[in-house]
Amino acid sequence: MIITIGRQHGSNGHAVAQALADRLGIPCYSKEIVDRTARDSNLFGMDEGFRLNMQIASAQFDTIRTLAEEGDAVFVGRCADYVLRSRSDLVRVFVMADMPYRVHAMMERKNLSEDQAKKLVREVDKDRASYYRYYTDQSWGDNEYYDLCLNVARVGTEGAVDTILSYLEAIKKEKME
């Protein structure tokens, strides 16, 4: 089973993804995608910025496909939900939280003022939405593109993991019937 986690900045989506992977005993890929792409590709030495960005994204998407072929995994961000959309074993999750929760999380995590944290949350979300739209022609965070959307501010990290696990069990049960 392949699970993708899209997330708003400050929603603790990465923590949800890692805890889920730990409970399932499967790998969680986030920045590891970038590291493996850099190791396995020959993208360095390119001079044209726009062309390089396109090649980096394409190489990352290839890495995501390769890692998914290696076995069950949780993927965080990087358009993995879109890249792997044709897989029948794909479960796409979007983790969100209300703004006060996310601002508070960033204030604590990065030792920022409230204004700095709010600005950071908005900038990162804007960048993620722009990146996602550019490479997928879809709206980032639009529930149409996810199987499950969770508000971590309401259920907490462990509650989110429990909810995802329940959802996975329901899928397995439905397939068996």
Side-chain angles (χ1 to χ4, degrees):
M1 180 163 298
I2 301 297
I3 304 156
T4 61
I5 308 284
R7 76 272 183 238
Q8 290 179 316
H9 194 59
S11 67
N12 288 330
H14 192 274
V16 169
Q18 189 60 62
L20 177 64
D22 290 347
R23 296 237 327 243
L24 291 170
I26 62 177
C28 179
Y29 299 113
S30 179
K31 300 235 185 287
E32 298 82 3
I33 295 167
V34 176
D35 296 341
R36 183 153 169 183
T37 300
R39 186 190 75 212
D40 294 350
S41 64
N42 188 19
L43 296 175
F44 300 102
M46 301 282 304
D47 290 331
E48 299 175 49
F50 177 77
R51 186 167 171 227
L52 179 58
N53 287 342
M54 293 292 290
Q55 288 186 328
I56 289 170
S58 179
Q60 283 186 23
F61 298 162
D62 289 344
T63 298
I64 290 167
R65 287 184 201 95
T66 299
L67 290 169
E69 288 300 317
E70 291 176 4
D72 295 346
V74 176
F75 290 89
V76 181
R78 300 194 175 16
C79 302
D81 59 313
Y82 180 81
V83 171
L84 301 172
R85 68 191 179 283
S86 63
R87 292 184 62 105
S88 63
D89 62 344
L90 178 64
V91 175
R92 303 159 303 160
V93 177
F94 191 78
V95 176
M96 62 192 153
D98 56 36
M99 185 59 84
Y101 178 95
R102 298 187 299 139
V103 168
H104 181 73
M106 296 316 302
M107 288 171 63
E108 287 191 356
R109 193 177 310 153
K110 301 215 178 235
N111 196 27
L112 300 173
S113 71
E114 184 175 350
D115 287 341
Q116 290 171 321
K118 194 177 291 184
K119 181 180 178 190
L120 178 65
V121 165
R122 287 185 176 138
E123 286 175 355
V124 173
D125 281 353
K126 184 178 177 181
D127 289 346
R128 287 179 179 169
S130 176
Y131 181 89
Y132 192 85
R133 176 165 298 285
Y134 184 80
Y135 289 106
T136 69
D137 200 30
Q138 296 178 351
S139 295
W140 173 77
D142 186 334
N143 63 4
E144 176 182 352
Y145 304 113
Y146 302 96
D147 301 304
L148 185 64
C149 297
L150 293 168
N151 186 339
V152 174
R154 306 279 314 257
V155 298
T157 300
E158 286 304 313
V161 172
D162 290 341
T163 301
I164 296 167
L165 289 171
S166 293
Y167 186 80
L168 297 175
E169 282 301 314
I171 290 171
K172 286 181 189 176
K173 184 177 177 183
E174 184 67 24
K175 285 183 179 179
M176 296 175 84
E177 291 180 354

